[in-house]
Amino acid sequence: QAGNALRALIGRLPAPREAVLARVRDPENGEIIDDALALWFPGPKSVTGEDVAELHVHGGRAVVAAVLAALARLPQCRPAEAGEFTRRAFDSGKLDLTRVEGLADLIAADAEAQRRQAVRQLRGWLSDRAEAWRTALIAALALVEARIDFSDEGDVPEDLITPALVAARALRDEVAAALSDQRRGERLREGLVVAIAGPPNAGKSSLINRIARREAAIVSPYAGTTRDVIEVHLDLGGAPVTLLDTAGIRESDDPVEQEGVRRARARAAEADLVLWVVDAAAKAEASLGDEQTSPEGALKGEQGNGKPSCWTIVNKIDLAAGVNEPASLTKNESVRSFAISARTGEGLADLLDALEGFAADFIGGGEPVLITRERHRLALQETVAALDRALAEPPADREEIVAEELRLAARALGRLVGRVDVEDVLDVIFRDFCIGK
């Protein structure tokens, strides 16, 4: 009913795929709502494969609300559900699952590198390769199936399983090469997580505000101000970084602060990098090996994704005479130290440069990767496992088992893009061998 709805609002149906200036009226009383651009995309040449109408109206809330209200009063019109247009595009074959995921990633992209990766997926970077793999696999499967089902036909060669296994091995090696990417695609999607942790009043919130260049966290001279974990998303040198401002880690009788400390310890343990912030004056008086104030003591017993790298940030050097750089300064990328002043910005440039370098190394560079989600990785791992089983079978008199493993591999690739069709195998057999002509 998209065409009828457009006629009701602007009085006509424009020529397909041509933007026209139109006066939008409320069909109920004829009142003018807006002067807008209208476009008409008759199916199947539309984003969803169905008839689609677009109204480009002025963006004021009252204008948008009036147009939606007018549409809602039309018969058989209702608001779309979340993601419904994309779902209809998938159902009609306009988008496969990996392109749908690329679109979702593009919408959610916080950094330039994430945007580029999402655009590649939306344009078919993975789905085109997966479809090529699947086509080659179906061709190999067709050879084996032909030998099994039509061995008595004169135009079917005797040895078909050998070329099928040669193709399967080449395909297996290609997919395995795609899997050996150190999970760079998933890392880029999720971004680098940096937890800013340490004892109370060390200047953690001031540091996150300085890096974010806005008042993201409340700064107070009173210990225990930060009770929950605050997240700030940044683009550092094109890489996505999530900063976590955590509660000051110390022993407390306050149950609310205790919960904040527990969350701080848990999030820091799960982070990729911990910036352990200490007061320069307090550092001069106390050892960083203190059980409660050192990262080793504070994070003891927490279970994360692996032990995170930890850098020591000696803050408030503007208030501590004689502290220009920490004694523990080292070139080790996993254990580094920086002397800064979050209040004045002194030393912050070096810290930001180091963070950009760490983020670039963490995400990885080089050629773009195919795999950006765990779902992709699992489907391709399933494909490789099935191909390995097929290649491990002795070819003589085991065609049925080889065919089943090749079929499972093809099904895994079909699930990757959301397209599983066993009729493809029969199509290849009848086309290539002219059986039943």
Side-chain angles (χ1 to χ4, degrees), residues 69-83:
L71 284 169
R73 288 192 291 269
L74 296 176
Q76 297 183 321
C77 280
R78 63 167 177 82
E81 297 176 0

Side-chain angles (χ1 to χ4, degrees), residues 245-263:
D245 181 23
T246 63
I249 296 178
R250 66 173 180 176
E251 294 297 324
S252 174
D253 296 328
D254 184 343
V256 177
E257 187 175 0
Q258 287 176 354
E259 176 61 18
V261 171
R262 185 196 67 77
R263 295 184 183 185

Side-chain angles (χ1 to χ4, degrees), residues 315-336:
N315 189 26
K316 303 183 183 180
I317 59 173
D318 55 313
L319 302 179
V323 179
N324 294 319
E325 66 177 37
S328 57
L329 186 65
T330 173
K331 296 300 182 182
N332 188 317
E333 286 295 328
S334 296
V335 185
R336 300 185 63 177

Side-chain angles (χ1 to χ4, degrees), residues 39-186:
L39 293 99
W40 170 238
F41 300 94
K45 295 182 178 180
S46 70
V47 66
T48 66
E50 304 169 307
D51 290 347
V52 174
E54 289 185 4
L55 285 173
H56 295 248
V57 300
H58 292 93
R61 293 183 181 179
V63 174
V64 174
V67 172
L68 291 176
L71 284 169
R73 288 192 291 269
L74 296 176
Q76 297 183 321
C77 280
R78 63 167 177 82
E81 297 176 0
E84 186 169 357
F85 281 88
T86 304
R87 174 60 186 270
R88 289 177 180 231
F90 169 73
D91 288 341
S92 64
K94 296 291 184 177
L95 295 174
D96 61 37
L97 281 184
T98 62
R99 293 175 190 256
V100 169
E101 290 165 333
L103 177 58
D105 290 344
L106 183 61
I107 294 171
D110 288 319
E112 178 63 17
Q114 286 178 320
R115 182 197 64 78
R116 289 196 298 265
Q117 177 169 280
V119 168
R120 286 193 294 268
Q121 288 292 48
L122 180 57
R123 293 177 64 86
W125 182 260
L126 174 59
S127 63
D128 290 348
R129 185 75 62 87
E131 195 58 43
W133 287 336
R134 183 168 172 268
T135 299
L137 193 53
I138 288 171
L141 178 56
L143 295 174
V144 182
E145 294 277 15
R147 185 63 202 158
I148 294 172
D149 295 335
F150 306 102
S151 57
D152 57 341
E153 296 285 343
D155 55 353
V156 177
E158 283 292 326
D159 185 13
L160 291 176
I161 195 168
T162 298
L165 291 180
V166 169
R169 184 173 296 281
L171 177 62
R172 184 260 175 215
D173 292 343
E174 280 191 46
V175 179
L179 285 167
S180 60
D181 59 359
Q182 290 80 49
R183 297 181 178 268
R184 288 191 288 123
E186 292 102 311

Side-chain angles (χ1 to χ4, degrees), residues 191-197 211 236 241-244 246 267-276 299 305-313 332-336 338 351-352 354-359 362:
L192 173 70
V193 178
V194 179
I196 299 179
I211 295 176
L236 283 182
V241 177
T242 299
L243 294 179
L244 306 178
T246 63
R267 293 300 296 273
E270 293 174 353
D272 304 304
L273 173 65
V274 175
L275 302 184
W276 187 259
L299 303 182
N305 299 321
K307 186 176 180 181
S309 299
C310 187
W311 296 353
T312 299
I313 311 299
N332 188 317
E333 286 295 328
S334 296
V335 185
R336 300 185 63 177
F338 298 86
L351 175 59
L352 289 177
L355 281 174
E356 286 190 18
F358 188 93
F362 176 83

